[in-house]
Amino acid sequence: MFALVDCNNFYVSCERVFNPSLNSKPVVVLSNNDGCIIARSNEAKQIGIKMGAPFFKTADLLRANQVVICSSNYPLYGDMSGRIMNTLGQFTPQLEVYSIDEAFLDLAGISTDLNEYAIQIHKTVLRNIGVPVSIGIGPTKALAKTANYYAKKIPEYKGILILNRQKKIEDALRQFAINEVWGIGRQYADFLNKHQVKTAWDFIQLPDEWVRKNMTITGLRIKKELTGISCLPLEQAPPDKKSICTSRSFGSPQTDLESIQKAIASFAGQCAYKLRKQKSCANLLIVFMHTNKFNPYESQYSPSLPFRLPAATNSSLELVKYALLTLEKIYKAGYHYQKAGVMVTEIVPQDQVQGCLFDEIDHGKHGAIMKALDRINAKYGPDTLTMAIQGGSTDWRQRRERVSPSYTTCWKDIINIQV
DNA sequence: TCTGGGGTCCTAGGACCC
DNA sequence: TCTGGGGTCCTAGGACCC
């Protein structure tokens, strides 16, 4: 059996832990740049605020209902997530961290009553961290996901549902709308609806060959999982990333090469850091940018250009240098750039890097500098030490107008208690 | 004025090899 | 007139997840 532990309205719940005045009020959390709504409290969902809705289009509805609006605070959410995963890890080491707010647990070998076990997890996470979770349990990951959906949706279940008997599973699948199934997105849901497949139960009645032909092997796996045949194993150690991307929308449209250079330098530096964190190096770097695709009156330009590195590297100095060279090749004056980014691919483990015969760079020296850089930033906070080119004016920086303090990751933001 | 930021996997089709 | 058979690798595009 697998359990899926999923935090309720995770980002909103994190905000509420440190600001209890938000409890029982409608609250939303915005995406980066205060662009879209990406988390809603139950009260906000009831008002009819949609997931992913652009903030500026929803502003009237939010105001009319006195919805509390928060900018996203990823240092806070990331840290809270880490604490939750640690707590779950104390229940079992058979743990897959599936996303910032979800984890699968393999329950093989758990001798206690599963319902009692789930209640303990729920209580412990709430006590240790203050975030409410829902727990779904089933014989496969897809069925645990299904159970979790009902655990969250139906108040009588009090956040826990175990799908352990055939009859219970069948009842759940008969009511389960096909578009809610894990792995069935908009396109497949529309396609299946056209073929009179409305529920998960309808779906598992389809012949294997038909599913395979129309939805690839991925679709067939979902079908098998829903029928109780486990095809998706627990992945305890997340595999190394095959591509790493750092990109941001700008706080306001940018036109000058100089300010975009600062942004690109900072993105390339971030990519280098992420590579070092997974002990990898990249062979290919891609710089891209685009104008505002939502504006039909503006002339559009979305260049992207790859650059093959002389040798695989994770040095910020090198990646920043080549990213800026690449940027100069694609930058054209006269456009209003809205977003830019740097991606690195063809990633290899750092201890398997092939040298380059004509390389002028002293990699040993770079490695030592990067080590020092990472140590300083770990100790004194991100961006304490950066490339000089990143500094100065930061016109491109994002909007974050309603951000809460970093209560758990920044000394000056720690809550003061007056005695 | 204002629309996020990451990722993965799969397949088809083309280029190329012998 | 008539043009094989078997592979691999790469890329773009489409689907999905949170």
Side-chain angles (χ1 to χ4, degrees):
Chain A
M1 297 290 273
F2 292 91
L4 176 67
V5 182
D6 188 326
C7 301
N8 301 349
N9 316 325
F10 180 54
Y11 296 169
V12 169
S13 297
C14 289
E15 298 290 344
R16 281 177 168 169
V17 169
F18 296 93
N19 186 355
S21 76
L22 302 180
N23 291 338
S24 75
K25 284 186 194 159
V27 182
V28 298
V29 176
L30 304 177
S31 66
N32 265 326
N33 223 22
D34 291 349
C36 293
I37 291 164
I38 53 165
R40 306 157 296 157
S41 71
N42 289 345
E43 299 81 2
K45 287 176 189 169
Q46 266 163 27
I47 293 167
I49 295 161
K50 296 277 178 274
M51 179 68 174
F55 171 46
F56 75 98
K57 284 190 179 173
T58 327
D60 290 342
L61 181 63
L62 298 175
R63 200 174 310 116
N65 290 281
Q66 299 185 334
V67 178
V68 180
I69 300 157
C70 305
S71 297
S72 44
N73 184 345
Y74 288 105
L76 175 66
Y77 312 148
D79 182 69
M80 295 293 276
S81 172
R83 290 163 193 253
I84 290 167
M85 299 310 167
N86 275 335
T87 295
L88 294 178
Q90 287 162 18
F91 281 87
T92 170
Q94 311 292 318
L95 178 81
E96 172 184 343
V97 178
Y98 178 65
S99 76
I100 193 165
D101 70 333
E102 283 172 74
F104 285 103
L105 277 59
D106 185 343
L107 303 181
I110 303 293
S111 50
T112 31
D113 171 67
L114 288 183
N115 191 52
E116 195 50 42
Y117 188 73
I119 291 173
Q120 280 310 316
I121 291 177
H122 187 281
K123 269 166 65 174
T124 309
V125 174
L126 193 61
R127 187 193 62 216
N128 287 9
I129 293 99
V131 169
V133 298
S134 300
I135 302 169
I137 296 178
T140 65
K141 281 177 159 186
L143 285 170
K145 267 272 188 190
T146 307
N148 193 282
Y149 173 88
Y150 287 111
K152 197 166 287 180
K153 204 91 173 178
I154 298 177
E156 293 84 80
Y157 293 156
K158 297 186 176 139
I160 296 168
L161 176 63
I162 305 177
L163 291 177
N164 50 357
R165 287 198 310 276
Q166 210 46 49
K167 177 79 175 68
K168 268 167 102 175
I169 294 175
E170 184 176 328
D171 287 348
L173 294 182
R174 281 184 187 280
Q175 295 171 54
F176 201 35
I178 190 67
N179 60 298
E180 299 290 353
V181 172
W182 188 39
I184 306 286
R186 261 286 300 280
Q187 304 300 321
Y188 281 145
D190 288 351
F191 172 76
L192 289 168
N193 268 307
K194 282 201 191 89
H195 287 84
Q196 307 311 314
V197 176
K198 310 280 184 194
T199 65
W201 181 256
D202 297 340
F203 180 59
I204 63 172
Q205 308 310 311
L206 294 167
D208 280 2
E209 315 80 66
W210 190 90
V211 176
R212 170 75 228 243
K213 182 167 159 273
N214 291 290
M215 302 173 68
T216 80
I217 186 73
T218 321
L220 187 54
R221 274 192 206 120
I222 299 166
K223 185 195 155 182
K224 298 235 184 241
E225 282 258 320
L226 289 174
T227 58
I229 302 165
S230 184
C231 314
L232 305 170
L234 196 79
E235 286 183 10
Q236 283 177 266
D240 279 355
K241 303 234 181 300
K242 297 171 180 172
S243 72
I244 288 174
C245 177
T246 305
S247 76
R248 291 288 179 278
S249 295
F250 300 135
S252 58
Q254 299 292 305
T255 52
D256 292 351
L257 178 58
E258 201 186 321
S259 48
I260 298 172
Q261 278 172 332
K262 284 173 184 154
I264 289 291
S266 149
F267 303 155
Q270 263 302 306
C271 284
Y273 172 68
K274 292 177 188 173
L275 281 169
R276 295 196 294 273
K277 230 166 59 172
Q278 82 166 29
K279 300 194 187 320
S280 298
C281 290
N283 281 291
L284 194 72
L285 167 155
I286 300 153
V287 176
F288 62 91
M289 50 207 275
H290 56 77
T291 47
N292 184 357
K293 59 178 185 281
F294 292 105
N295 188 341
Y297 307 109
E298 206 173 286
S299 37
Q300 300 287 326
Y301 179 48
S302 322
S304 100
L305 191 66
F307 179 90
R308 184 156 297 279
L309 296 153
T313 181
N314 59 20
S315 156
S316 297
L317 301 172
E318 267 194 286
L319 287 170
V320 168
K321 177 174 122 185
Y322 293 123
L324 290 173
L325 274 175
T326 309
L327 169 64
E328 276 184 42
K329 289 187 201 146
I330 57 174
Y331 170 82
K332 279 197 224 164
Y335 289 98
H336 298 272
Y337 296 98
Q338 190 227 2
K339 180 176 177 172
V342 173
M343 197 189 315
V344 289
T345 64
E346 298 187 13
I347 291 173
V348 293
Q350 72 182 8
D351 50 15
Q352 289 172 27
V353 171
Q354 303 251 332
C356 172
L357 199 53
F358 310 105
D359 214 343
E360 295 158 4
I361 286 169
D362 182 340
H363 290 279
K365 215 177 230 175
H366 269 231
I369 296 170
M370 291 304 113
K371 218 172 228 172
L373 173 78
D374 291 340
R375 230 177 4 234
I376 288 167
N377 286 337
K379 186 163 179 185
Y380 298 102
D383 285 344
T384 301
L385 199 59
T386 67
M387 309 296 116
I389 182 113
Q390 290 173 237
S393 92
T394 49
D395 299 334
W396 63 275
R397 293 262 175 220
Q398 302 210 301
R399 282 187 302 279
R400 270 180 109 194
E401 285 169 7
R402 302 167 175 83
V403 69
S404 53
S406 293
Y407 298 106
T408 61
T409 55
C410 180
W411 285 112
K412 71 172 174 40
D413 286 352
I414 285 179
I415 280 187
N416 256 312
I417 296 173
Q418 312 250 326
V419 184

